[in-house]
Amino acid sequence: MGMAAEAERQPNIILIMADDMGYECIGANGGATFQTPELDKLAETGVRFEHCYSQPLCTPSRVKIMTGIYNVRNYVEFGTLDREQTTFANLLKKKGYATCIAGKWQLGREMDGPQHFGFDESCLWQHTRGARDKNRRDTRYPNPKLEINGKPVDYNNGEFGPDVATDFICDFMERNQDQPFLAYYPMILPHNPFVPTPDSQDPNCTDGRKNFADMVAYIDKLVGKLTAKLDELGIRENTLVIFTGDNGTAGAILSKLNGQQVRGGKGEMTDAGTHVPLIANWPDTISEGRVVDDLVDFSDFLPTLCETAGVSVPSELKIDGRSFLPQLKGETGNPREWVYCWYLAKTGDVQEWTRDQRYKLYRTGKFYDVSQDRLEQTPLKDLSPEAKVAQAQLQTVLDQYKDARP
C-alpha cells in the first residue's frame, strides 16, 4: 500500500472492556494491588482519563456504550438490547468496516443478535445459551461453552474461555489487516467465579482474592497479546486501542488506590460502582503520557468511534454522547460540564444522578462532594458559594431528563 493510500485509510479500532474491573485495579491509575504492566505501558505511551463513568452493572453499561444513549431512554431489562437500537458497529459496518465482537454478549438470545447489531463475526459467551450448563457449572472459564457466529462450540481439552475469545480477535485482525476493522472485545474476565488462570501457580487455588489478582494479570497479558499482534501485522500505527471497564469491581475485592484501601462497589451508584478506567493508545496520533481530567461517560464512546472512522452519527438517533477524539489527540475538543446516570436495578428500583469532577447530585436531592467523600457517607448541608453554583447547574441537568423515559 502506497503512502498516500495509507494516509487516507480509515483507522482500525479495538475497544476492550473488562467485566467488573474498577478504576482502582490499574497501576497507572494509582492502584497498588494488581500487576498491570501492559496497561500501564499503554497509558505511558498514550493517554489515560481520570473521570470516566459507566453504569453500575453489566447489561446497562453494554446498552449505553454500544448505543451512545442514556439508559433513561432505551434500557429495557437485564440481558436485553432493544432490537430497534443502532450500535456503533451498525454505523461503522455501513462505512465499510469489517466488524467483530468477542467475549460476553448478554444482550438477547436471538441467534442473529450480533449480526443484527452490526457485527460480521462473533465469538461469544452467554449468547443464546445461559451462564451455566445442566450440571450448574459456570461455562465461561475452563472448558468454555461458547458460540461462534451463533453456532454452539464446546471446548473440552482444558481451554480457557478468555484465550479463545482473544485468539478469535487476533485471527480476525490477521484476515482483515488490509481493510479497516472494528474489534469490540467485551471481555469475560475478571467477573466471578474467581478461578485460577492458565498462569496461576496453583491450578486448584480456591482463594478468590488471589485468583482475582491472577485474573487481572491475565487481562493485562491478553491486552499485550492484542497489541503484539498489531505490531506483528505492521498496523499498530493505524489502530486506535481503547481499554475501559463496564462497572466497578466486585464487592469481595479489597485493594489499594493512592495509598487508601478501597472495596469494589459493583452494583452501587458511588464511584466504587461507576468509576472505571479509560486508557487509549494510538502511536503517532496520541502523544505520550498525557492524563486528561475531562469528564467522559459511556454514551461518549459511539460518537468517538464514529468520528475516528469518519462516520457521521445520524441526527435521528438523538444520541446523548459527545466525541472525546479531540482530547485523545491533545486538542481541547468539546468537553462535558457534567455526566449523567439513570440506573434501573434488577430489583426494579430506579436511581439517578448527575455530577461534575467534584460534586454529585441525586434526583432525591442528596448532594455530595465526591472529591472528599468517595463513598457518599455525608451529604452536604451548609453549602459553600462554589457548591451552591455546582448544585444549581447539576439540578438543571436533572430537570432536562425528568420526562425522558419513554
Side-chain angles (χ1 to χ4, degrees):
M1 192 182 281
M3 288 300 285
E6 185 62 58
E8 283 163 30
R9 192 172 119 186
Q10 293 157 294
N12 310 309
I13 299 169
I14 303 178
L15 173 58
I16 308 164
M17 181 173 74
D19 191 2
D20 296 359
M21 180 172 163
Y23 181 86
E24 76 280 3
C25 293
I26 295 181
N29 288 339
T33 304
F34 307 109
Q35 300 300 309
T36 56
E38 294 289 341
L39 287 164
D40 298 347
K41 190 166 75 188
L42 287 183
E44 276 160 36
T45 58
V47 59
R48 70 180 182 87
F49 286 72
E50 292 192 319
H51 284 286
C52 178
Y53 298 93
S54 65
Q55 298 292 104
L57 203 65
C58 310
T59 303
S61 285
R62 283 162 170 67
V63 169
K64 187 171 178 178
I65 200 171
M66 289 169 72
T67 64
I69 294 171
Y70 289 137
N71 279 187
V72 68
R73 291 180 30 232
N74 70 354
Y75 186 71
V76 186
E77 63 184 350
F78 192 82
T80 303
L81 173 57
D82 169 22
R83 282 174 71 95
E84 302 289 297
Q85 297 297 306
T86 299
T87 73
F88 52 62
N90 291 129
L91 297 171
L92 267 60
K93 182 176 160 67
K94 269 199 198 126
K95 260 299 213 221
Y97 270 69
T99 57
C100 91
I101 180 170
K104 170 167 142 180
W105 181 242
Q106 203 189 68
L107 292 170
R109 292 196 171 190
E110 299 89 352
M111 190 176 287
D112 71 337
Q115 286 67 37
H116 176 84
F117 288 114
F119 297 101
D120 298 322
E121 299 183 35
S122 59
C123 170
L124 294 167
W125 176 76
Q126 222 185 5
H127 175 191
T128 73
R129 305 194 278 183
R132 294 175 183 276
D133 65 15
K134 59 182 185 295
N135 303 318
R136 305 296 300 146
R137 180 184 77 93
D138 188 279
T139 54
R140 74 190 91 188
Y141 291 125
N143 299 318
K145 293 184 182 298
L146 305 178
E147 289 163 79
I148 295 184
N149 299 322
K151 306 266 188 306
V153 183
D154 294 351
Y155 294 84
N156 301 302
N157 297 312
E159 295 89 350
F160 192 57
D163 285 330
V164 178
T166 307
D167 290 345
F168 184 88
I169 291 179
C170 288
D171 176 63
F172 168 82
M173 296 194 296
E174 186 154 326
R175 286 183 288 106
N176 291 283
Q177 59 184 299
D178 294 328
Q179 67 181 104
F181 63 73
L182 163 72
Y184 176 39
Y185 188 5
M187 288 183 134
I188 298 169
L189 285 162
H191 194 292
N192 68 346
F194 302 137
V195 298
T197 73
D199 290 353
S200 294
Q201 282 177 319
D202 175 4
N204 302 308
C205 179
T206 55
D207 179 340
R209 287 185 187 168
K210 187 170 190 337
N211 288 339
F212 181 83
D214 286 356
M215 292 165 105
V216 172
Y218 210 80
I219 284 176
D220 195 69
K221 174 180 158 172
L222 294 178
V223 170
K225 186 173 190 176
L226 292 171
T227 55
K229 188 69 180 177
L230 294 172
D231 288 332
E232 178 200 316
L233 297 173
I235 55 176
R236 179 82 186 269
E237 271 66 39
N238 199 39
T239 305
L240 168 61
V241 177
I242 300 178
F243 180 89
T244 188
D246 68 344
N247 46 246
T249 312
I253 303 300
L254 297 170
S255 58
K256 282 260 168 56
L257 177 67
N258 297 319
Q260 304 288 313
Q261 190 180 59
V262 298
R263 179 182 289 283
K266 174 184 177 173
E268 296 171 17
M269 290 287 265
T270 61
D271 271 18
T274 58
H275 187 201
V276 291
L278 175 54
I279 293 169
N281 191 283
W282 188 358
D284 302 343
T285 301
I286 293 178
S287 59
E288 301 201 351
R290 277 183 306 111
V291 180
V292 177
D293 189 46
D294 290 355
L295 295 161
V296 170
D297 74 32
F298 264 31
S299 68
D300 297 333
F301 285 75
L302 179 143
T304 302
L305 301 195
C306 285
E307 189 180 359
T308 301
V311 176
S312 54
V313 180
S315 58
E316 63 269 18
L317 293 182
K318 297 191 168 62
I319 66 161
D320 293 293
R322 54 176 84 174
S323 170
F324 54 86
L325 178 64
Q327 289 96 312
L328 295 182
K329 294 179 165 180
E331 298 156 13
T332 308
N334 179 25
R336 293 173 158 277
E337 290 172 8
W338 48 267
V339 297
Y340 170 79
C341 180
W342 181 97
Y343 172 54
L344 174 63
K346 280 182 173 176
T347 57
D349 298 326
V350 170
Q351 295 170 279
E352 192 180 3
W353 54 251
T354 182
R355 64 168 294 165
D356 60 20
Q357 283 90 337
R358 179 171 178 183
Y359 294 104
K360 184 166 176 182
L361 178 65
Y362 282 80
R363 176 70 73 193
T364 59
K366 287 200 165 156
F367 183 56
Y368 299 93
D369 180 349
V370 187
S371 70
Q372 305 303 311
D373 183 13
R374 178 175 171 270
L375 298 180
E376 302 169 19
Q377 286 162 335
T378 317
L380 296 177
K381 297 266 189 325
D382 300 316
L383 302 189
S384 68
E386 181 194 1
K388 279 184 181 148
V389 170
Q391 185 189 41
Q393 285 173 329
L394 294 172
Q395 187 60 52
T396 62
V397 177
L398 291 176
D399 291 348
Q400 98 188 38
Y401 287 102
K402 97 174 167 295
D403 301 316
R405 188 75 178 149

